[in-house]
Amino acid sequence: AKHLVPNKMRDFFCTINLDQEEVFRTQVVEKSLSPYFGEEFYFEIPRTFQWLSFYIYDKSVLQKDLRIGKVSIKKEDLCNYTGKENWFMLQPVDSNSEVQGKVHLELKLNELITDNGSVCQQLVVHIKECHGLPLINGQNCDPYATVSLVGPSRNDQKKTKVKKKTSNPQFNETFYFEVTRSSSYTKKSQFQVEEEDIEKLEVRVDLWNNGNLVQDVFLGEIKVPVKVLRNDSFQAWYLLQPRENGNKSSKTDDLGSLRLNICYTEDCVLPSEYYTSLRNLLLKSSDVQPISASAAYILSEVCRDKYDAILPLVRLLLHHHKLVPFVAAVAELDLKDTQEANTIFRGNSLATRCVDEMMKIVGKHYLKVTLKPVIDEICESPKPCEIDPIKLKEGENGENNMENLRYYVDKVFSEIVRSSISCPTLMCDVFYSLRHLAAKRFPNDPHVQYSAVSSFVFLRFFAVAVVSPHTFHLRPHHPDAQTSRTLTLISKAIQTLGSWGSLTKSKLSSFKETFMCEFFKAFQEEKFTESVKKFLDDVSSTESKEPSGLSEPVHLKEGEMYKRAQGRTRIGKKNFKKRWFCLTSREFTYHKQQDKEPIFTIPIKNILAVEKLDENSFNKKNMFQVLHGEKPLYIQANNCVEASEWIEALCRVTRCNQKRLSFYHPSAFLNGNWLCCKATLENTVGCARCTADVPADTQIEIDGDRETERIYSLFTINMSRLQKLEEACGSIAVYQGPRKEPDDYSNFTIEDSVATFHTLKQITDTVEKLNESHEKYRKKRSSSAKYGSE
């Protein structure tokens, strides 16, 4: 952010909100007017929403944190900003514009004949329920609604009862309003009042939070013109809207601005059978000769940003166990253009990017178990490690700092070279392929087989994770400036040590900085080279590695949530307590505070199901339940994204449990019966089918259809480039002579124009069929949608 008000140095932080629900917050940046947050958040959106908002707060120690301003982007507009950095002006935070949720209404116009024989219209408004209203001060609200019939000369208002402590109130109240038609509609009415024009009447429903002793808080409104009703009964869900003057403010002050880079994707995924042709075309890519004529390779060629194509492609090939042969094929093509052994796999080619993405997806747990403990130590109790004489602070000792850095580098290096037993089999298979391809390409260089592997596992995996631990989920936030500098120095050292296994003799003169040259004199020992060599041998071997029975459990997720007390309090009511939860590959525990001994432990093998819990059980949002041998453990997460992530993590680690349940109770057992099915026995079999009762791969959770849909979208967006590639194949096939000048086609890799043209025809035919299926779905959806519905 920059130029924030008030114009004095303050402590700022930023939150990310789905409508009014905070889902993430950055660290506090102290004493700044232009704070740099530098944090990345990636998340699946688990519910419908209207606005993605960013709030800047002024941190206060004694009082409530002050909201300085906000950036709100409507869901429909997110596609305009995706993939680009933009500066957004901060807008004032106005209570009339802070809305969230939807309301379910049924409206009807009845014709009535009055005592004197004239015809009048009666409007019936049935307000059924609301869903997803915001929390007020962290608590469920006490909502009520006002229903008004508004026109040029009238404003009749009626009010529902207040519903206590709920975000999803069930009102089920009906209100009646008398409406008259204009004189042109029927014979002259006997009414003495002036006739109203029905064209100008509208129904307005306002939602409020009952403040009791303080002012009521506006929650949103909707307006429906009476003219749309005609004589039909009409019902729909309406998204609550801000007041018309909600975003207008008397303040014209510049509150500052916020720089954001948003990447938003939304896909409409059809049933699986629609994707069979495209999926098969992509999956047989590794068998196509040459590989540059395959559908997967063509996808990377036509996308302007290769990264857009690589993530869904890698995930799809991973899901169907086709990634290793594809990576081997594209790596072989890469090696054809590599002239020197010391530049092997150093560029950003399709092969290197595929391996990068594979390591991020498959190696997530490997990184945690290898690096998290030592990264936590560096970040939580940092020692000064600056060894550049120019950057030394006053009073710092360069020798001491060098000793501190050596201690950290030694510790990180030791953890890495000892970790081969934990390296995922898939990574080992890929490294094995790369190693043998490199040795075949440069048969006279005995070290190239090691540099082929170290260029990935050290330079593009461990070194990158060390320098930015927050992006690999090793730390919750971006580290501060001093810690970042320490991590950068450690990362440089790890890159250098990792590449030594591939060099005959290290050349200290190759360092640009003399202080790094001095630092590495301590590592001039044969044992470091041998350790790297042995590690690279281990991780590029296809021999099956038996996991050690004594190996440390993998740390998967931790955080603060609320759990319902297992026992009864003195009053007899069960209450909710804040606890620190920790999930590893062996057990699920909660603690009174972080770093304290666990109060309660559930072994992973004992978990029978993990499911959402209906809000009406305890009138609390974002709840889920962990079913195990004893009574269910009821937990409330802080927001919808966090709840979704915990459920996914718990489901993933327990899906191979033998005794998983197939049925569960969506609500709680209270006052002698289950709220969902009214059964009176606590051990009654569940009344709803579990959402995840089929064992699956515990390492990675991939939806193949969703990835195929993303790839279809990319082909659709880049159809013009597909056509250019088709033209290029045609012109090459006809004219075999040398090219006289570079043209639009020179950027494409075309080894076999006939084979490439054949694949292109298959892609365009498949995409056209999917276009038709999507169009049918869109027409069906638009014809069934009602005015006002979502």
Side-chain angles (χ1 to χ4, degrees), residues 610-639:
V610 182
E611 297 288 344
K612 288 181 179 177
L613 186 72
D614 284 354
E615 188 187 315
N616 61 10
S617 299
F618 302 106
N619 276 339
K620 290 183 183 292
K621 297 180 88 163
N622 306 316
M623 287 205 66
F624 63 95
Q625 51 184 321
V626 179
L627 307 177
H628 55 110
E630 300 168 35
K631 291 184 178 181
L633 176 62
Y634 296 127
I635 300 169
Q636 183 187 25
N638 294 298
N639 58 62

Side-chain angles (χ1 to χ4, degrees), residues 109 191 274 277 323 327 335 353 372 390 439 462 466 500 514 518 544 546 594 630 651 653 663 669 716 718 733 759:
L109 266 178
F191 274 77
Y274 286 89
S277 300
L323 184 67
V327 167
L335 287 169
R353 285 187 166 200
K372 193 171 188 330
I390 299 166
F462 285 120
V466 167
W500 276 12
T514 52
E518 283 297 313
S544 62
E546 287 299 318
Q594 191 177 1
E630 300 168 35
C651 282
V653 80
F663 292 89
F669 185 82
T716 308
N718 293 288
T759 307

Side-chain angles (χ1 to χ4, degrees), residues 682-737:
E682 199 164 356
N683 59 358
T684 305
V685 176
C687 56
R689 180 169 284 281
C690 287
T691 52
D693 59 341
V694 184
D697 183 353
T698 59
Q699 288 299 312
I700 43 177
E701 197 65 19
I702 293 171
D703 181 343
D705 294 338
R706 182 176 172 180
E707 304 306 334
T708 315
E709 169 62 32
R710 183 100 291 270
I711 290 169
Y712 152 74
S713 300
L714 291 169
F715 275 136
T716 308
I717 294 163
N718 293 288
M719 190 52 77
S720 62
R721 286 173 67 83
L722 278 171
Q723 287 161 355
K724 274 188 181 176
L725 186 53
E726 220 171 90
E727 289 167 18
C729 291
S731 65
I732 292 167
V734 172
Y735 171 65
Q736 297 291 345

Side-chain angles (χ1 to χ4, degrees), residues 551-652:
S551 65
E552 286 293 304
V554 181
H555 180 97
L556 301 175
K557 192 166 175 61
E558 62 181 353
E560 205 168 55
M561 295 187 288
Y562 295 84
K563 63 101 198 167
R564 188 176 185 238
Q566 303 280 70
R568 287 191 172 277
T569 61
R570 289 180 183 174
I571 308 166
K573 285 188 176 179
K574 292 188 178 180
N575 57 359
F576 282 79
K577 292 178 179 172
K578 190 186 283 188
R579 292 288 180 256
W580 185 266
F581 287 81
C582 186
L583 175 65
T584 71
S585 53
R586 286 191 195 161
E587 58 193 23
F588 182 48
T589 58
Y590 63 76
H591 315 241
K592 203 158 193 175
Q593 290 169 334
Q594 191 177 1
D595 301 327
K596 297 282 185 189
E597 287 299 306
I599 303 171
F600 190 73
T601 301
I602 306 174
I604 292 301
K605 65 177 189 290
N606 291 359
I607 295 178
L608 306 175
V610 182
E611 297 288 344
K612 288 181 179 177
L613 186 72
D614 284 354
E615 188 187 315
N616 61 10
S617 299
F618 302 106
N619 276 339
K620 290 183 183 292
K621 297 180 88 163
N622 306 316
M623 287 205 66
F624 63 95
Q625 51 184 321
V626 179
L627 307 177
H628 55 110
E630 300 168 35
K631 291 184 178 181
L633 176 62
Y634 296 127
I635 300 169
Q636 183 187 25
N638 294 298
N639 58 62
C640 62
V641 171
E642 187 178 85
S644 176
E645 287 178 351
W646 271 103
I647 292 169
E648 187 191 350
L650 281 159
C651 282
R652 191 186 301 144

Side-chain angles (χ1 to χ4, degrees), residues 508-568:
L508 291 177
S509 59
S510 63
F511 287 109
K512 294 175 191 171
E513 306 105 332
T514 52
F515 60 86
M516 289 303 280
C517 177
E518 283 297 313
F519 175 70
F520 273 105
K521 282 182 180 173
F523 294 95
Q524 283 274 68
E525 296 172 34
E526 192 69 25
K527 69 170 188 178
F528 286 103
T529 312
E530 283 305 309
S531 298
V532 171
K533 186 171 178 295
K534 183 181 182 307
F535 171 72
L536 295 173
D537 277 331
D538 289 345
V539 296
S540 58
S541 157
T542 56
E543 293 173 20
S544 62
K545 302 191 288 294
E546 287 299 318
S548 163
L550 301 172
S551 65
E552 286 293 304
V554 181
H555 180 97
L556 301 175
K557 192 166 175 61
E558 62 181 353
E560 205 168 55
M561 295 187 288
Y562 295 84
K563 63 101 198 167
R564 188 176 185 238
Q566 303 280 70
R568 287 191 172 277

Side-chain angles (χ1 to χ4, degrees), residues 20 34 89 152 171 200 211 307 500 688 692 707 741:
Q20 295 305 292
S34 296
M89 297 297 292
F171 291 113
K200 295 177 182 173
Y307 182 78
W500 276 12
E707 304 306 334
E741 56 185 53

Side-chain angles (χ1 to χ4, degrees), residues 655-675:
R655 276 190 176 167
C656 291
N657 286 358
Q658 297 297 312
K659 296 180 180 177
R660 278 191 68 86
L661 296 176
S662 294
F663 292 89
Y664 78 107
H665 289 285
S667 290
F669 185 82
L670 293 174
N671 303 323
N673 69 287
W674 289 101
L675 297 180

Side-chain angles (χ1 to χ4, degrees), residues 399-412:
E399 286 296 317
N400 288 350
N401 287 8
M402 194 171 281
E403 202 53 50
N404 292 339
L405 183 60
R406 196 170 291 130
Y407 164 77
Y408 282 147
V409 170
D410 214 10
K411 195 158 186 177
V412 172

